[in-house]
Amino acid sequence: MGQIEWAMWANEQALASGLILVAGGIVATVGRFAQWYFGAYSIAAGALVCLLEYPRGRRRKGSTMERCGQKYVAAAVKLFGPLTRNYYVRAVLHLLLSVPAGFLLATILGTVCLAIASVIYLLVSGALTVAGMSPALSLALVAGSEGGACWELCVPGGHSW
């Protein structure tokens, strides 16, 4: 197993987070929680995240299957301009959208998942480095000998930490 494509992983993570936010928001709003308005916010924020993340990006190598109806949603997302294509902007947007949803138990799972997607987008954009090391440092998912997986920090020279 080779290098993982972090941008695609961030896209899948954010899309799942948006769906989880919508589900938690529906539970909070229909269940008439004490702070149900955070549930209503989570529905709107989750729908926005799903709209932005539904179009799947292209892979560096190989082929990518489009999602059903992706070309129509991609046309709508392109109206937002370069803001939707910049990973750093997406990371900040996802992080800001996740904060208000964290005040309600029904939406906390979506909040945590969206914050994780934000961190992955920060890794992809190069804005986040590990322990102050150079931006050339990248995370790689390396298959273990037993068929499992383990995390390693790899530098382009082939050295692992």
Side-chain angles (χ1 to χ4, degrees):
M1 190 154 98
Q3 293 274 339
I4 192 167
E5 292 192 31
W6 291 98
M8 289 191 77
W9 187 33
N11 175 262
E12 297 293 334
Q13 176 76 24
L15 181 62
S17 302
L19 295 173
I20 294 169
L21 270 177
V22 169
I26 289 171
V27 167
T29 305
V30 172
R32 298 202 178 220
F33 282 31
Q35 296 175 326
W36 63 270
Y37 42 87
F38 285 123
Y41 168 81
S42 295
I43 294 171
L48 177 65
V49 168
C50 288
L51 175 74
L52 291 175
E53 297 296 334
Y54 189 74
R56 182 181 286 160
R58 298 197 193 281
R59 297 180 79 172
R60 290 185 195 145
K61 295 190 304 186
S63 62
T64 306
M65 290 197 48
E66 281 191 0
R67 291 187 173 113
C68 182
Q70 175 176 329
K71 59 184 173 183
Y72 306 114
V73 178
V77 169
K78 283 183 183 177
L79 294 175
F80 292 112
L83 293 178
T84 57
R85 288 181 236 137
N86 187 338
Y87 291 139
Y88 181 74
V89 172
R90 278 191 186 193
V92 171
L93 177 68
H94 290 336
L95 195 60
L96 292 176
L97 284 174
S98 71
V99 171
F103 294 110
L104 193 60
L105 185 61
T107 59
I108 195 77
L109 181 62
T111 299
V112 171
C113 291
L114 198 57
I116 291 170
S118 178
V119 169
I120 298 168
Y121 270 129
L122 282 175
L123 281 171
V124 171
S125 70
L128 185 66
T129 58
V130 179
M133 294 182 179
S134 69
L137 183 69
S138 63
L139 292 174
L141 183 65
V142 180
S145 60
E146 307 292 324
C150 61
W151 291 101
E152 287 187 4
L153 295 174
C154 298
V155 179
H159 306 293
S160 62
W161 299 89

Short mmCIF file of all heavy atoms in Angstrom, two decimals, residues 60-127:
data_model
loop_
_atom_site.label_atom_id
_atom_site.label_comp_id
_atom_site.label_asym_id
_atom_site.label_seq_id
_atom_site.Cartn_x
_atom_site.Cartn_y
_atom_site.Cartn_z
N ARG A 60 -4.37 11.81 -8.22
CA ARG A 60 -3.11 12.09 -8.91
C ARG A 60 -2.80 11.02 -9.94
O ARG A 60 -2.35 11.28 -11.03
CB ARG A 60 -1.97 12.17 -7.89
CG ARG A 60 -2.05 13.38 -7.03
CD ARG A 60 -0.85 13.47 -6.13
NE ARG A 60 -1.13 14.45 -5.08
CZ ARG A 60 -0.70 14.34 -3.85
NH1 ARG A 60 0.03 13.32 -3.48
NH2 ARG A 60 -1.00 15.26 -2.97
N LYS A 61 -3.04 9.76 -9.54
CA LYS A 61 -2.83 8.64 -10.45
C LYS A 61 -4.12 7.84 -10.51
O LYS A 61 -4.88 7.81 -9.56
CB LYS A 61 -1.70 7.74 -9.93
CG LYS A 61 -0.35 8.39 -9.91
CD LYS A 61 0.77 7.40 -9.62
CE LYS A 61 0.56 6.65 -8.33
NZ LYS A 61 1.67 5.79 -7.96
N GLY A 62 -4.33 7.16 -11.62
CA GLY A 62 -5.51 6.31 -11.73
C GLY A 62 -6.73 7.10 -12.15
O GLY A 62 -6.65 8.19 -12.69
N SER A 63 -7.87 6.50 -11.86
CA SER A 63 -9.13 7.15 -12.26
C SER A 63 -9.99 7.40 -11.02
O SER A 63 -9.84 6.75 -10.00
CB SER A 63 -9.89 6.26 -13.25
OG SER A 63 -10.21 5.04 -12.61
N THR A 64 -10.88 8.33 -11.15
CA THR A 64 -11.79 8.67 -10.08
C THR A 64 -13.20 8.55 -10.60
O THR A 64 -13.53 9.14 -11.64
CB THR A 64 -11.55 10.12 -9.60
OG1 THR A 64 -10.19 10.26 -9.26
CG2 THR A 64 -12.41 10.44 -8.41
N MET A 65 -14.04 7.81 -9.90
CA MET A 65 -15.44 7.72 -10.30
C MET A 65 -16.18 8.94 -9.75
O MET A 65 -16.04 9.28 -8.58
CB MET A 65 -16.07 6.45 -9.76
CG MET A 65 -15.54 5.21 -10.44
SD MET A 65 -16.55 3.75 -10.19
CE MET A 65 -18.17 4.32 -10.54
N GLU A 66 -16.97 9.56 -10.60
CA GLU A 66 -17.76 10.70 -10.15
C GLU A 66 -18.95 10.20 -9.34
O GLU A 66 -19.45 9.11 -9.56
CB GLU A 66 -18.29 11.48 -11.36
CG GLU A 66 -17.30 12.39 -12.00
CD GLU A 66 -17.96 13.32 -13.01
OE1 GLU A 66 -19.19 13.24 -13.20
OE2 GLU A 66 -17.24 14.13 -13.59
N ARG A 67 -19.37 11.04 -8.40
CA ARG A 67 -20.58 10.73 -7.65
C ARG A 67 -21.78 11.05 -8.54
O ARG A 67 -21.70 11.85 -9.47
CB ARG A 67 -20.65 11.56 -6.38
CG ARG A 67 -19.61 11.16 -5.38
CD ARG A 67 -19.83 11.91 -4.07
NE ARG A 67 -18.92 11.41 -3.06
CZ ARG A 67 -17.93 12.11 -2.54
NH1 ARG A 67 -17.71 13.34 -2.93
NH2 ARG A 67 -17.15 11.58 -1.63
N CYS A 68 -22.90 10.45 -8.22
CA CYS A 68 -24.13 10.66 -8.98
C CYS A 68 -24.53 12.13 -8.91
O CYS A 68 -24.68 12.68 -7.82
CB CYS A 68 -25.23 9.77 -8.43
SG CYS A 68 -26.77 9.90 -9.32
N GLY A 69 -24.68 12.77 -10.05
CA GLY A 69 -25.08 14.17 -10.10
C GLY A 69 -23.99 15.15 -9.72
O GLY A 69 -24.27 16.32 -9.46
N GLN A 70 -22.75 14.70 -9.72
CA GLN A 70 -21.65 15.55 -9.28
C GLN A 70 -21.46 16.77 -10.18
O GLN A 70 -21.14 17.85 -9.69
CB GLN A 70 -20.35 14.74 -9.24
CG GLN A 70 -19.13 15.57 -8.91
CD GLN A 70 -17.88 14.75 -8.77
OE1 GLN A 70 -17.95 13.60 -8.36
NE2 GLN A 70 -16.74 15.31 -9.12
N LYS A 71 -21.66 16.61 -11.47
CA LYS A 71 -21.40 17.73 -12.37
C LYS A 71 -22.34 18.91 -12.11
O LYS A 71 -21.95 20.06 -12.27
CB LYS A 71 -21.46 17.29 -13.83
CG LYS A 71 -22.77 16.70 -14.27
CD LYS A 71 -22.68 16.21 -15.70
CE LYS A 71 -23.95 15.46 -16.06
NZ LYS A 71 -23.87 14.91 -17.40
N TYR A 72 -23.56 18.65 -11.65
CA TYR A 72 -24.49 19.74 -11.36
C TYR A 72 -24.10 20.46 -10.08
O TYR A 72 -24.15 21.68 -10.00
CB TYR A 72 -25.92 19.21 -11.25
CG TYR A 72 -26.33 18.41 -12.47
CD1 TYR A 72 -26.58 17.05 -12.39
CD2 TYR A 72 -26.44 19.03 -13.72
CE1 TYR A 72 -26.94 16.33 -13.51
CE2 TYR A 72 -26.80 18.32 -14.85
CZ TYR A 72 -27.05 16.96 -14.73
OH TYR A 72 -27.39 16.25 -15.84
N VAL A 73 -23.72 19.70 -9.05
CA VAL A 73 -23.31 20.30 -7.79
C VAL A 73 -21.98 21.03 -7.97
O VAL A 73 -21.77 22.11 -7.41
CB VAL A 73 -23.20 19.23 -6.68
CG1 VAL A 73 -22.74 19.84 -5.38
CG2 VAL A 73 -24.54 18.53 -6.50
N ALA A 74 -21.08 20.46 -8.77
CA ALA A 74 -19.79 21.11 -9.02
C ALA A 74 -19.97 22.46 -9.71
O ALA A 74 -19.25 23.42 -9.41
CB ALA A 74 -18.89 20.20 -9.87
N ALA A 75 -20.95 22.55 -10.60
CA ALA A 75 -21.22 23.83 -11.26
C ALA A 75 -21.70 24.87 -10.25
O ALA A 75 -21.32 26.05 -10.33
CB ALA A 75 -22.26 23.63 -12.35
N ALA A 76 -22.50 24.45 -9.28
CA ALA A 76 -22.97 25.37 -8.25
C ALA A 76 -21.83 25.79 -7.32
O ALA A 76 -21.74 26.95 -6.91
CB ALA A 76 -24.10 24.74 -7.45
N VAL A 77 -20.95 24.86 -7.00
CA VAL A 77 -19.83 25.15 -6.10
C VAL A 77 -18.83 26.09 -6.77
O VAL A 77 -18.24 26.95 -6.12
CB VAL A 77 -19.15 23.84 -5.64
CG1 VAL A 77 -17.85 24.12 -4.92
CG2 VAL A 77 -20.09 23.07 -4.73
N LYS A 78 -18.68 25.96 -8.10
CA LYS A 78 -17.75 26.84 -8.82
C LYS A 78 -18.18 28.30 -8.78
O LYS A 78 -17.37 29.20 -8.98
CB LYS A 78 -17.60 26.38 -10.27
CG LYS A 78 -16.72 25.18 -10.43
CD LYS A 78 -16.54 24.81 -11.89
CE LYS A 78 -15.72 23.55 -12.01
NZ LYS A 78 -15.57 23.12 -13.40
N LEU A 79 -19.45 28.55 -8.49
CA LEU A 79 -19.93 29.93 -8.39
C LEU A 79 -19.29 30.65 -7.20
O LEU A 79 -19.20 31.87 -7.20
CB LEU A 79 -21.46 29.95 -8.24
CG LEU A 79 -22.25 29.46 -9.45
CD1 LEU A 79 -23.73 29.44 -9.12
CD2 LEU A 79 -21.99 30.34 -10.66
N PHE A 80 -18.85 29.90 -6.18
CA PHE A 80 -18.19 30.51 -5.03
C PHE A 80 -16.77 30.95 -5.36
O PHE A 80 -16.13 31.60 -4.55
CB PHE A 80 -18.17 29.55 -3.84
CG PHE A 80 -19.52 29.29 -3.27
CD1 PHE A 80 -20.11 28.04 -3.38
CD2 PHE A 80 -20.21 30.29 -2.60
CE1 PHE A 80 -21.35 27.80 -2.84
CE2 PHE A 80 -21.46 30.06 -2.06
CZ PHE A 80 -22.03 28.80 -2.18
N GLY A 81 -16.26 30.56 -6.51
CA GLY A 81 -14.94 30.99 -6.96
C GLY A 81 -13.79 30.25 -6.31
O GLY A 81 -13.93 29.11 -5.87
N PRO A 82 -12.63 30.91 -6.24
CA PRO A 82 -11.43 30.25 -5.73
C PRO A 82 -11.49 29.92 -4.24
O PRO A 82 -10.68 29.15 -3.75
CB PRO A 82 -10.31 31.24 -6.03
CG PRO A 82 -10.98 32.55 -6.18
CD PRO A 82 -12.36 32.27 -6.68
N LEU A 83 -12.44 30.49 -3.51
CA LEU A 83 -12.53 30.20 -2.08
C LEU A 83 -12.85 28.74 -1.82
O LEU A 83 -12.44 28.17 -0.81
CB LEU A 83 -13.60 31.08 -1.43
CG LEU A 83 -13.30 32.57 -1.39
CD1 LEU A 83 -14.46 33.32 -0.77
CD2 LEU A 83 -12.02 32.83 -0.62
N THR A 84 -13.58 28.10 -2.72
CA THR A 84 -13.94 26.70 -2.50
C THR A 84 -12.85 25.75 -2.97
O THR A 84 -12.90 24.57 -2.64
CB THR A 84 -15.24 26.36 -3.22
OG1 THR A 84 -15.09 26.65 -4.61
CG2 THR A 84 -16.40 27.15 -2.65
N ARG A 85 -11.88 26.24 -3.71
CA ARG A 85 -10.81 25.37 -4.21
C ARG A 85 -9.55 25.44 -3.36
O ARG A 85 -8.63 24.65 -3.56
CB ARG A 85 -10.49 25.73 -5.65
CG ARG A 85 -11.60 25.30 -6.58
CD ARG A 85 -11.27 25.62 -8.02
NE ARG A 85 -12.39 26.44 -8.51
CZ ARG A 85 -12.26 27.51 -9.24
NH1 ARG A 85 -11.08 27.92 -9.59
NH2 ARG A 85 -13.30 28.18 -9.63
N ASN A 86 -9.50 26.34 -2.41
CA ASN A 86 -8.33 26.50 -1.56
C ASN A 86 -8.51 25.66 -0.30
O ASN A 86 -9.47 25.83 0.45
CB ASN A 86 -8.17 27.98 -1.20
CG ASN A 86 -6.90 28.26 -0.47
OD1 ASN A 86 -6.30 27.39 0.13
ND2 ASN A 86 -6.49 29.52 -0.50
N TYR A 87 -7.57 24.75 -0.04
CA TYR A 87 -7.69 23.84 1.11
C TYR A 87 -7.58 24.58 2.43
O TYR A 87 -8.23 24.20 3.40
CB TYR A 87 -6.64 22.74 1.04
CG TYR A 87 -6.86 21.76 -0.07
CD1 TYR A 87 -5.80 21.28 -0.83
CD2 TYR A 87 -8.13 21.29 -0.37
CE1 TYR A 87 -6.00 20.37 -1.84
CE2 TYR A 87 -8.34 20.40 -1.38
CZ TYR A 87 -7.27 19.93 -2.11
OH TYR A 87 -7.48 19.03 -3.11
N TYR A 88 -6.78 25.61 2.49
CA TYR A 88 -6.64 26.37 3.73
C TYR A 88 -7.95 27.06 4.09
O TYR A 88 -8.38 27.05 5.24
CB TYR A 88 -5.51 27.39 3.61
CG TYR A 88 -5.29 28.19 4.87
CD1 TYR A 88 -4.67 27.61 5.97
CD2 TYR A 88 -5.72 29.50 4.96
CE1 TYR A 88 -4.48 28.33 7.14
CE2 TYR A 88 -5.54 30.23 6.12
CZ TYR A 88 -4.92 29.64 7.21
OH TYR A 88 -4.75 30.35 8.36
N VAL A 89 -8.62 27.64 3.10
CA VAL A 89 -9.89 28.30 3.33
C VAL A 89 -10.94 27.28 3.77
O VAL A 89 -11.74 27.53 4.68
CB VAL A 89 -10.35 29.07 2.07
CG1 VAL A 89 -11.75 29.61 2.23
CG2 VAL A 89 -9.37 30.19 1.77
N ARG A 90 -10.94 26.12 3.15
CA ARG A 90 -11.87 25.07 3.55
C ARG A 90 -11.63 24.63 4.99
O ARG A 90 -12.57 24.40 5.75
CB ARG A 90 -11.75 23.84 2.65
CG ARG A 90 -12.49 23.96 1.37
CD ARG A 90 -12.52 22.63 0.67
NE ARG A 90 -13.11 22.77 -0.64
CZ ARG A 90 -13.49 21.77 -1.38
NH1 ARG A 90 -13.33 20.54 -0.96
NH2 ARG A 90 -14.02 21.97 -2.55
N ALA A 91 -10.37 24.51 5.37
CA ALA A 91 -10.04 24.09 6.73
C ALA A 91 -10.56 25.10 7.75
O ALA A 91 -11.19 24.73 8.74
CB ALA A 91 -8.53 23.92 6.88
N VAL A 92 -10.33 26.38 7.49
CA VAL A 92 -10.80 27.41 8.40
C VAL A 92 -12.33 27.46 8.42
O VAL A 92 -12.95 27.56 9.49
CB VAL A 92 -10.21 28.78 8.01
CG1 VAL A 92 -10.84 29.91 8.79
CG2 VAL A 92 -8.70 28.77 8.20
N LEU A 93 -12.96 27.35 7.26
CA LEU A 93 -14.42 27.36 7.18
C LEU A 93 -15.01 26.20 7.97
O LEU A 93 -15.96 26.38 8.74
CB LEU A 93 -14.87 27.30 5.72
CG LEU A 93 -16.37 27.24 5.50
CD1 LEU A 93 -17.02 28.56 5.91
CD2 LEU A 93 -16.68 26.93 4.04
N HIS A 94 -14.47 24.99 7.79
CA HIS A 94 -14.98 23.83 8.51
C HIS A 94 -14.79 23.97 10.01
O HIS A 94 -15.67 23.60 10.79
CB HIS A 94 -14.33 22.54 8.01
CG HIS A 94 -14.74 22.16 6.63
ND1 HIS A 94 -15.91 22.55 6.06
CD2 HIS A 94 -14.12 21.39 5.70
CE1 HIS A 94 -16.01 22.04 4.84
NE2 HIS A 94 -14.93 21.35 4.60
N LEU A 95 -13.66 24.51 10.40
CA LEU A 95 -13.41 24.69 11.83
C LEU A 95 -14.39 25.71 12.44
O LEU A 95 -14.94 25.49 13.52
CB LEU A 95 -11.97 25.14 12.06
CG LEU A 95 -11.45 25.04 13.49
CD1 LEU A 95 -11.52 23.61 13.99
CD2 LEU A 95 -10.03 25.54 13.56
N LEU A 96 -14.63 26.80 11.73
CA LEU A 96 -15.57 27.80 12.21
C LEU A 96 -17.01 27.28 12.23
O LEU A 96 -17.79 27.61 13.14
CB LEU A 96 -15.49 29.07 11.37
CG LEU A 96 -14.19 29.87 11.50
CD1 LEU A 96 -14.19 31.05 10.53
CD2 LEU A 96 -14.00 30.34 12.93
N LEU A 97 -17.38 26.48 11.24
CA LEU A 97 -18.72 25.91 11.21
C LEU A 97 -18.94 24.88 12.32
O LEU A 97 -20.06 24.68 12.78
CB LEU A 97 -19.00 25.26 9.85
CG LEU A 97 -19.29 26.19 8.69
CD1 LEU A 97 -19.39 25.39 7.40
CD2 LEU A 97 -20.55 26.98 8.92
N SER A 98 -17.88 24.23 12.75
CA SER A 98 -18.03 23.16 13.74
C SER A 98 -18.18 23.69 15.17
O SER A 98 -18.74 23.00 16.02
CB SER A 98 -16.85 22.20 13.67
OG SER A 98 -15.67 22.80 14.15
N VAL A 99 -17.72 24.89 15.44
CA VAL A 99 -17.71 25.40 16.83
C VAL A 99 -19.11 25.51 17.45
O VAL A 99 -19.35 24.96 18.52
CB VAL A 99 -16.93 26.73 16.92
CG1 VAL A 99 -17.10 27.36 18.28
CG2 VAL A 99 -15.47 26.49 16.62
N PRO A 100 -20.08 26.22 16.82
CA PRO A 100 -21.39 26.34 17.48
C PRO A 100 -22.10 25.01 17.67
O PRO A 100 -22.86 24.84 18.63
CB PRO A 100 -22.19 27.24 16.53
CG PRO A 100 -21.17 27.98 15.76
CD PRO A 100 -20.02 27.04 15.62
N ALA A 101 -21.87 24.05 16.81
CA ALA A 101 -22.54 22.75 16.94
C ALA A 101 -21.99 21.94 18.11
O ALA A 101 -22.60 20.97 18.53
CB ALA A 101 -22.38 21.96 15.64
N GLY A 102 -20.86 22.34 18.66
CA GLY A 102 -20.27 21.61 19.77
C GLY A 102 -20.92 21.86 21.10
O GLY A 102 -20.56 21.23 22.10
N PHE A 103 -21.90 22.74 21.17
CA PHE A 103 -22.56 23.05 22.43
C PHE A 103 -23.76 22.16 22.72
O PHE A 103 -24.48 22.39 23.69
CB PHE A 103 -23.00 24.52 22.45
CG PHE A 103 -21.85 25.46 22.45
CD1 PHE A 103 -21.56 26.23 21.34
CD2 PHE A 103 -21.03 25.57 23.56
CE1 PHE A 103 -20.49 27.11 21.34
CE2 PHE A 103 -19.95 26.43 23.57
CZ PHE A 103 -19.68 27.20 22.45
N LEU A 104 -24.00 21.16 21.88
CA LEU A 104 -25.16 20.29 22.05
C LEU A 104 -24.71 18.85 21.93
O LEU A 104 -23.94 18.50 21.04
CB LEU A 104 -26.19 20.64 20.97
CG LEU A 104 -27.58 20.09 21.12
CD1 LEU A 104 -28.22 20.59 22.41
CD2 LEU A 104 -28.43 20.56 19.95
N LEU A 105 -25.19 18.00 22.82
CA LEU A 105 -24.76 16.61 22.85
C LEU A 105 -25.11 15.87 21.56
O LEU A 105 -24.33 15.04 21.08
CB LEU A 105 -25.37 15.90 24.06
CG LEU A 105 -24.91 14.47 24.28
CD1 LEU A 105 -23.40 14.43 24.51
CD2 LEU A 105 -25.64 13.86 25.45
N ALA A 106 -26.26 16.16 20.97
CA ALA A 106 -26.69 15.45 19.77
C ALA A 106 -25.80 15.75 18.57
O ALA A 106 -25.73 14.95 17.63
CB ALA A 106 -28.13 15.80 19.44
N THR A 107 -25.10 16.87 18.58
CA THR A 107 -24.29 17.26 17.43
C THR A 107 -22.79 17.21 17.71
O THR A 107 -22.01 17.61 16.85
CB THR A 107 -24.68 18.67 16.97
OG1 THR A 107 -24.49 19.59 18.04
CG2 THR A 107 -26.12 18.72 16.50
N ILE A 108 -22.40 16.73 18.87
CA ILE A 108 -20.97 16.75 19.22
C ILE A 108 -20.16 15.80 18.33
O ILE A 108 -19.01 16.10 18.00
CB ILE A 108 -20.76 16.44 20.73
CG1 ILE A 108 -19.35 16.80 21.17
CG2 ILE A 108 -21.03 14.99 21.04
CD1 ILE A 108 -19.13 18.24 21.35
N LEU A 109 -20.73 14.68 17.91
CA LEU A 109 -20.00 13.75 17.04
C LEU A 109 -19.69 14.41 15.69
O LEU A 109 -18.58 14.31 15.18
CB LEU A 109 -20.78 12.46 16.85
CG LEU A 109 -20.12 11.41 15.97
CD1 LEU A 109 -18.81 10.95 16.59
CD2 LEU A 109 -21.04 10.23 15.76
N GLY A 110 -20.67 15.09 15.12
CA GLY A 110 -20.43 15.80 13.87
C GLY A 110 -19.41 16.90 14.02
O GLY A 110 -18.61 17.16 13.12
N THR A 111 -19.41 17.56 15.19
CA THR A 111 -18.44 18.61 15.47
C THR A 111 -17.02 18.06 15.47
O THR A 111 -16.11 18.63 14.86
CB THR A 111 -18.74 19.27 16.82
OG1 THR A 111 -20.04 19.85 16.75
CG2 THR A 111 -17.74 20.32 17.17
N VAL A 112 -16.83 16.96 16.18
CA VAL A 112 -15.49 16.36 16.27
C VAL A 112 -15.04 15.87 14.90
O VAL A 112 -13.88 16.09 14.51
CB VAL A 112 -15.49 15.22 17.31
CG1 VAL A 112 -14.19 14.44 17.27
CG2 VAL A 112 -15.73 15.77 18.70
N CYS A 113 -15.92 15.23 14.15
CA CYS A 113 -15.56 14.74 12.82
C CYS A 113 -15.20 15.89 11.88
O CYS A 113 -14.26 15.78 11.09
CB CYS A 113 -16.70 13.92 12.23
SG CYS A 113 -16.98 12.35 13.05
N LEU A 114 -15.94 16.99 11.96
CA LEU A 114 -15.64 18.13 11.10
C LEU A 114 -14.34 18.82 11.51
O LEU A 114 -13.57 19.28 10.66
CB LEU A 114 -16.80 19.13 11.14
CG LEU A 114 -16.86 20.15 10.02
CD1 LEU A 114 -16.89 19.48 8.66
CD2 LEU A 114 -18.08 21.03 10.18
N ALA A 115 -14.03 18.83 12.80
CA ALA A 115 -12.75 19.38 13.25
C ALA A 115 -11.60 18.51 12.77
O ALA A 115 -10.54 19.03 12.38
CB ALA A 115 -12.74 19.50 14.77
N ILE A 116 -11.78 17.19 12.75
CA ILE A 116 -10.75 16.29 12.22
C ILE A 116 -10.55 16.55 10.73
O ILE A 116 -9.41 16.59 10.24
CB ILE A 116 -11.10 14.83 12.51
CG1 ILE A 116 -11.00 14.55 14.01
CG2 ILE A 116 -10.21 13.87 11.71
CD1 ILE A 116 -11.56 13.20 14.42
N ALA A 117 -11.64 16.73 10.00
CA ALA A 117 -11.52 17.04 8.57
C ALA A 117 -10.79 18.36 8.37
O ALA A 117 -9.99 18.50 7.43
CB ALA A 117 -12.91 17.10 7.94
N SER A 118 -11.02 19.30 9.25
CA SER A 118 -10.32 20.59 9.17
C SER A 118 -8.82 20.41 9.36
O SER A 118 -8.01 21.02 8.65
CB SER A 118 -10.88 21.54 10.22
OG SER A 118 -10.20 22.76 10.20
N VAL A 119 -8.43 19.58 10.32
CA VAL A 119 -7.00 19.32 10.54
C VAL A 119 -6.38 18.64 9.33
O VAL A 119 -5.26 18.96 8.92
CB VAL A 119 -6.80 18.48 11.82
CG1 VAL A 119 -5.38 17.98 11.94
CG2 VAL A 119 -7.18 19.29 13.04
N ILE A 120 -7.11 17.71 8.72
CA ILE A 120 -6.59 17.04 7.52
C ILE A 120 -6.41 18.04 6.39
O ILE A 120 -5.40 18.02 5.67
CB ILE A 120 -7.51 15.89 7.10
CG1 ILE A 120 -7.57 14.82 8.19
CG2 ILE A 120 -7.01 15.25 5.80
CD1 ILE A 120 -8.66 13.79 7.98
N TYR A 121 -7.37 18.95 6.22
CA TYR A 121 -7.23 19.98 5.19
C TYR A 121 -6.04 20.90 5.49
O TYR A 121 -5.36 21.36 4.57
CB TYR A 121 -8.50 20.80 5.03
CG TYR A 121 -9.47 20.23 4.02
CD1 TYR A 121 -10.80 20.03 4.34
CD2 TYR A 121 -9.06 19.90 2.75
CE1 TYR A 121 -11.69 19.53 3.42
CE2 TYR A 121 -9.93 19.39 1.82
CZ TYR A 121 -11.25 19.20 2.16
OH TYR A 121 -12.12 18.69 1.23
N LEU A 122 -5.78 21.17 6.76
CA LEU A 122 -4.61 21.97 7.11
C LEU A 122 -3.32 21.22 6.74
O LEU A 122 -2.34 21.83 6.30
CB LEU A 122 -4.61 22.32 8.59
CG LEU A 122 -5.52 23.45 9.01
CD1 LEU A 122 -5.52 23.61 10.52
CD2 LEU A 122 -5.14 24.74 8.34
N LEU A 123 -3.30 19.91 6.93
CA LEU A 123 -2.14 19.11 6.51
C LEU A 123 -1.95 19.18 5.00
O LEU A 123 -0.83 19.32 4.51
CB LEU A 123 -2.31 17.65 6.93
CG LEU A 123 -2.02 17.31 8.38
CD1 LEU A 123 -2.46 15.88 8.67
CD2 LEU A 123 -0.56 17.49 8.69
N VAL A 124 -3.06 19.08 4.27
CA VAL A 124 -2.98 19.11 2.80
C VAL A 124 -2.50 20.47 2.31
O VAL A 124 -1.70 20.56 1.39
CB VAL A 124 -4.36 18.77 2.19
CG1 VAL A 124 -4.37 19.01 0.70
CG2 VAL A 124 -4.73 17.34 2.49
N SER A 125 -2.96 21.54 2.96
CA SER A 125 -2.59 22.88 2.51
C SER A 125 -1.16 23.24 2.85
O SER A 125 -0.61 24.20 2.32
CB SER A 125 -3.53 23.92 3.12
OG SER A 125 -3.28 24.06 4.50
N GLY A 126 -0.54 22.49 3.75
CA GLY A 126 0.83 22.77 4.13
C GLY A 126 0.94 23.78 5.25
O GLY A 126 2.03 24.18 5.63
N ALA A 127 -0.19 24.21 5.81
CA ALA A 127 -0.18 25.20 6.89
C ALA A 127 0.16 24.57 8.23
O ALA A 127 0.53 25.26 9.16
CB ALA A 127 -1.54 25.88 6.98
#
